[in-house]
């Protein structure tokens, strides 16, 4: 039982902590999209597909917003819950 609780805590922490790290690694940073990154390639593809601009509410726009301002409390709660559940199941 104690091992399950510890696993759930670790899973929750990893779930919440990994998302910002992954976004930054992809190039969605607090100062904008990093040059020559996966995010830059995504932005280019989205702009080409949309006639020259990135549509508001698109995946690229949403990920960049998260890269700048971070995740909301409710999103962090969801990530923590999913991380805890995954850790318990593994």
């Amino acid at each position: 039982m104690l091992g399950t609780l510890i696993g759930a805590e670790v899973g929750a922490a990893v779930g919440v902590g990994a998302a910002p790290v992954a976004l930054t690694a992809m190039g969605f940073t607090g100062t904008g999209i990093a040059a020559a990154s996966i995010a830059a390639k995504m932005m280019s593809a989205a702009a080409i597909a949309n006639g020259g601009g990135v549509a508001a509410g698109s995946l690229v726009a949403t990920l960049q917003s998260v890269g700048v301002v971070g995740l909301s409390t409710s999103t962090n709660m969801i990530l923590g819950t999913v991380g805890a559940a995954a850790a318990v199941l593994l």
Side-chain angles (χ1 to χ4, degrees):
M1 174 87 173
L2 181 59
T4 302
L5 290 175
I6 292 172
E9 290 291 327
V10 169
V14 168
V16 172
V21 172
L23 286 173
T24 300
M26 289 177 61
F28 295 102
T29 69
T31 57
I33 291 180
S37 65
I38 293 170
K41 290 178 176 108
M42 290 174 66
M43 182 177 175
S44 175
I48 290 168
N50 199 38
V54 176
S58 68
L59 177 62
V60 174
T62 302
L63 291 176
Q64 181 53 39
S65 176
V66 170
V68 172
V69 298
L71 295 167
S72 66
T73 302
S74 60
T75 302
N76 278 324
M77 291 173 64
I78 291 168
L79 287 171
T81 302
V82 170
V88 168
L89 292 174
L90 296 175

